[in-house]
Amino acid sequence: MASSTAFSTLTLHGSSLSPKTRGAVPLSDHVCSCSNLQFKQSIYCKPSSLSAQIPFHLGVNDGKRLDWQTNGGLVSNHGVKCRALDVANSPPGLAGTKFQLDDVIEAQQFDRETLSAIFAVAREMEMIEKNSTGSQLLKGYLMATLFYEPSTRTRLSFESAMKRLGGEVLTTENAREFSSAAKGETLEDSIRTVEGYSDIIVMRHFESGAAKRAAATANIPIINAGDGPGQHPTQALLDVYTIDREIGKLDGIKVGLVGDLAYGRTVRSLAYLLAKYHDVKIYFVSPDVVKMKDDIKDYLTSNGVEWEESADLMDVASKCDVVYQTRIQRERFGERTDLYEEARGKYIVDKNVLNVMQKHAVVMHPLPRLDEITVEVDQDPRAAYFRQAKNGLYIRMALLKLLLLGW
Amino acid sequence: MASSTAFSTLTLHGSSLSPKTRGAVPLSDHVCSCSNLQFKQSIYCKPSSLSAQIPFHLGVNDGKRLDWQTNGGLVSNHGVKCRALDVANSPPGLAGTKFQLDDVIEAQQFDRETLSAIFAVAREMEMIEKNSTGSQLLKGYLMATLFYEPSTRTRLSFESAMKRLGGEVLTTENAREFSSAAKGETLEDSIRTVEGYSDIIVMRHFESGAAKRAAATANIPIINAGDGPGQHPTQALLDVYTIDREIGKLDGIKVGLVGDLAYGRTVRSLAYLLAKYHDVKIYFVSPDVVKMKDDIKDYLTSNGVEWEESADLMDVASKCDVVYQTRIQRERFGERTDLYEEARGKYIVDKNVLNVMQKHAVVMHPLPRLDEITVEVDQDPRAAYFRQAKNGLYIRMALLKLLLLGW
Amino acid sequence: MASSTAFSTLTLHGSSLSPKTRGAVPLSDHVCSCSNLQFKQSIYCKPSSLSAQIPFHLGVNDGKRLDWQTNGGLVSNHGVKCRALDVANSPPGLAGTKFQLDDVIEAQQFDRETLSAIFAVAREMEMIEKNSTGSQLLKGYLMATLFYEPSTRTRLSFESAMKRLGGEVLTTENAREFSSAAKGETLEDSIRTVEGYSDIIVMRHFESGAAKRAAATANIPIINAGDGPGQHPTQALLDVYTIDREIGKLDGIKVGLVGDLAYGRTVRSLAYLLAKYHDVKIYFVSPDVVKMKDDIKDYLTSNGVEWEESADLMDVASKCDVVYQTRIQRERFGERTDLYEEARGKYIVDKNVLNVMQKHAVVMHPLPRLDEITVEVDQDPRAAYFRQAKNGLYIRMALLKLLLLGW
């Protein structure tokens, strides 16, 4: 499933461009006399606030129409708001060539350089979350969480991210019962309505491809928070970010993927992303009924990633930097609870596994876990799964910042 | 269904009255040294902050008791908070005689002059929403959305309106399962409880008349967001506002009401409001089974509004300023899906209809739509229905501002 | 059910300690040049902002590990945030010895002195709610309402409390369907995840003891908003606070507990708390099938509280300072609706009861009520039940303030 989202490069010449702070009349007191304001307030720009003399190329997503008007103003389809390209505030070392992020739809849309830049912003977010009284970076922005199936964990993570940055949230916990959807309204019409109420939409849907359809319709950014058996890109990003944070590198790492490798959306996306790094070695450890499928194996091989299957968790654990455990999903086994019970008990991460793991190695898990990691493991500093969940917050803060304010 | 809500006129003499900014100790930094503060902060007034020397008459709704105390303080039943009558901030041309808005219960409560004044505020709101980083006009105010039946679209619109003005929201998506209501608590008791937690209540209920009962009980403003087969006044307001914005006038317009005219709450309310304007001509275009009922026809006739029924959508479309399409509601036909299918296919707005429409005319629809307007119409600039949905945001922002801060 | 939560005393020597305003870099404009800022902004402290020279003892809850690091920093298990002990802002008369409040789990955890101190803060909250444009005291703080069973009234009260203090809220109206819980995740794992997204968790659960388990796991404060047949401590606190506010004292009062005394969590908790005061006399007035149980009677006797049972509501009402009416819960009677109907009709508070009550006495009720208090009583100033509900807001504001900022 190749990415159909193309990004062009944004180059800037001349003076620094801060459209969100120019031309627009400040209507609140938040941008005024206070001297220790460290983050610029986000202010919607009016089309006329962009000078025509500044030449630049815009990142254009296939689903968007961003027109360059005769007066030099940048307007979206409906001419309502444009998004900031706030280069002045770029983190050090990231100035210059940038990638305009329009939507977050699938893990494959990110290349190595973009991942690295996102992770740098996530680190900043970590500092903000830990040290401040709450950032006001996204003050005045409104995020709609449009969840067509419930996922409390993911929803709370996004909503916390938005609120930690001073933004506001509109919530629909079960949009499937959205009266309009129930009456037969298309997803496209729902999106057109909700985009009138908000500045960014985080969408969970039960159909693969729904996020891409939403992004093609919307004039505001869409984040895919999971679309059925399709993608869950922010989970994949937080997984790679966690490996980077815990191990300190992504090139040259050894990762053991354990458990349900056939149906787990998580491990499949992770495998895709790991293929972007050098000298990665992946071990697959899973019961026969839920083995990793050939498409991923072929993808890894063709991208030069070494992999091998193993039935010996202890051996793999002793070699790996990361033991990535997953939950065997009962719902995949239907009536065959006997097969389920056999599969789920086979590879458990417990004290014995910890004992053979290297000192710097970590145990990860996308959560929720049942007993595939025993509770005794929690106390070990190498148990990284709750830190991993927390990293989801930082990654989502970073993405919200990037989609709404730019780099 | 005549309005039982009477408004008396509020006249002000002497100095400008800004009770919400006088006497009360400012507790936050939002009203302080910042010079470009364009909107006054909303501050709850204390009774003693209203001088007894200023004579004025209060708008009194039948359900309210606003007592004028011996010390000159304005207090509601429970003596807790009074509402601002902030005349100093009136939009130009609206100073002087004003109507105090206490609640929004039914479309008929608004006369032509009030509608015009509300629309002027809605225009201001449009500017605020498009140009600012988020207004702080309603900062410190709390709106409760008490929905006894789900209506995600309406709820999100109100919540967005409140948050776009800096206010906060308490949400109950399905108040019917409100534990207390389930246990047999009266609506009145629920309202008395919720008004203790909030400054304004937006209520959706399954029973006609529920909003009026709530307003009679509450000491804070109530907005009817639909009460069963009864009223949905903010929808009616946004429809008229949209016609005004799109066509530029309301007197002398020709409107074609198409589709389900028998059961559609929307078109019935719209007909009531259009009767307030001069030289309006209305065309009814609908399948026989869902024809406009006699009560509305009689009302229009007695109010001097010309109307006619037609079976020729092309002819009507060619004459009208507004083609207002509606969805035929399947649930009205019970087992007779044959009748439903016949009715819904009869009058479709498509490219052919667009081709005969005048250049300045528009297509409206309360949404959600199924296929009574074809998707090809969406691209035409005369397709006004998504702009119409967005106008709902501005109307609701205006009403929240007026109910909480006054004119 | 004795309290297992032990509080040690916090003593402070030397300079005033305001960890939340020291050392941390201010990241927003809210603490800057504005001169009439009356409440200090809450700022997460960094460990290094606490000077090692200041010796003090920490309140330690059995479930918490608060470690004193070598660099003098106070950190919780995960080393992320510490809670303020903001003594400089103490209400007058409360400086000096303080109790560190870590969690609110059960009514019994509060002694008389702590109750009195909490009530003083609740009074401050009452002033804030009535007189200001919304406090910013908890700005930057995020509360998660984790409700495993719905309780709209309690949830809205907590959420209003948080928002009235400038804080933000993450809501889960029905956490039982929390995808993770549904998949078999333990409460402990859910808590570890949610604490990563928020600063305080308000939890409602269907199992007795769940709140205590959550508190033992979490590194952020937990408030029990009801755990099954167990405790609902904030209801008990607001009841006692209401008596104090309405009658002006707690020692020496006479209280009539009326209605369902067998199953009502409320009256049982209230009895426990009243036992902490001197010369209290309690009358039990209830149908035979729902009489007060022996454990409470024994507890009162052993704590020197005089009590008697009576079948004569008029006699009791004439003697009492407080008539505390409760709803007979139909669900307790199963098929025996005849018994239910007999029980519920037996003791009604109506005009006749009011007529014999003393002028200073009040009628209380935890709400929702059916007809055990007639509507005619509502107009009497002695009807205190809606003020009681409102007091719940002040108590919850006080607890949120105390748990997040300290005294």
Side-chain angles (χ1 to χ4, degrees), chain C residues 179-222:
Chain C
S179 47
S180 306
K183 288 170 187 161
E185 187 180 59
T186 63
L187 174 63
E188 282 76 7
D189 276 16
S190 295
I191 290 290
R192 277 194 197 97
T193 301
V194 174
E195 74 172 337
Y197 306 151
S198 58
D199 300 307
I200 188 167
I201 295 174
V202 176
M203 190 176 88
R204 177 101 166 194
H205 204 277
F206 46 91
E207 276 178 21
S208 185
K212 193 170 282 183
R213 283 170 57 202
T217 298
N219 289 301
I220 61 173
I222 301 288

Side-chain angles (χ1 to χ4, degrees), chain A residues 29-39 41 127-136 139 150-157 159-161 163-164 167-168 171 173 327 331 367-370 375 378-379 386 389-390 393-394 396, chain C residues 24-34 41-46 65 78 80-81 139-142 144 146 163 168-175 177-180 183-186 188-190 192-199:
Chain A
D29 60 334
H30 290 90
V31 286
C32 58
S33 67
C34 301
S35 58
N36 54 359
L37 182 67
Q38 303 219 338
F39 288 102
Q41 289 297 320
M127 300 307 290
I128 286 176
E129 198 259 349
K130 283 187 179 151
N131 295 316
S132 88
T133 176
S135 166
Q136 297 298 302
K139 187 173 173 67
S151 173
T152 310
R153 178 184 299 272
T154 301
R155 183 175 64 79
L156 290 187
S157 178
E159 295 186 0
S160 179
K163 294 190 171 184
R164 288 294 190 204
E168 278 291 340
T171 299
E173 261 203 273
R327 183 172 61 91
E331 53 270 34
L367 303 180
R369 62 130 171 222
L370 301 189
V375 174
D378 296 4
Q379 304 306 323
F386 292 114
K390 186 75 184 241
L393 181 69
Y394 305 133
R396 285 158 187 142
Chain C
V25 181
L27 287 166
S28 86
D29 59 335
H30 290 90
V31 285
C32 57
S33 66
C34 302
Q41 290 298 320
S42 49
I43 298 182
Y44 301 156
C45 64
K46 295 175 295 187
R65 286 193 296 118
H78 288 176
V80 176
K81 283 172 195 166
K139 187 172 173 68
Y141 283 96
L142 204 40
L146 197 59
K163 294 189 171 185
E168 277 291 339
V169 174
L170 299 176
T171 299
T172 45
E173 260 202 275
N174 202 340
E177 294 170 15
F178 197 120
S179 47
S180 306
K183 288 170 187 161
E185 187 180 59
T186 63
E188 282 76 7
D189 276 16
S190 295
R192 277 194 197 97
T193 301
V194 174
E195 74 172 337
Y197 306 151
S198 58
D199 300 307

Side-chain angles (χ1 to χ4, degrees), chain C residues 321-335:
Chain C
D321 301 288
V322 176
V323 174
Y324 194 106
Q325 175 68 294
T326 59
R327 183 173 60 93
I328 308 280
Q329 298 173 63
R330 176 180 227 132
E331 52 270 34
R332 302 298 181 187
F333 291 84
E335 302 289 300

Side-chain angles (χ1 to χ4, degrees), chain C residues 254-324:
Chain C
K254 292 185 173 61
V255 178
L257 301 179
V258 188
D260 179 353
L261 307 185
Y263 305 108
R265 193 166 51 179
T266 310
V267 287
R268 291 173 54 84
S269 297
L270 180 56
Y272 274 120
L273 283 186
L274 288 176
K276 297 183 188 294
Y277 295 91
H278 306 307
D279 303 320
V280 171
K281 171 90 188 251
I282 301 183
Y283 298 87
F284 300 127
V285 184
S286 67
D288 281 350
V289 287
V290 286
K291 285 176 72 171
M292 180 58 83
K293 292 180 176 169
D294 285 340
D295 62 334
I296 298 286
K297 292 177 184 169
D298 293 346
Y299 181 86
L300 293 174
T301 301
S302 68
N303 281 271
V305 178
E306 215 185 315
W307 59 266
E308 77 180 62
E309 293 187 316
S310 168
D312 187 346
L313 175 57
M314 297 301 275
D315 177 59
V316 167
S318 69
K319 292 177 189 159
C320 280
D321 301 288
V322 176
V323 174
Y324 194 106

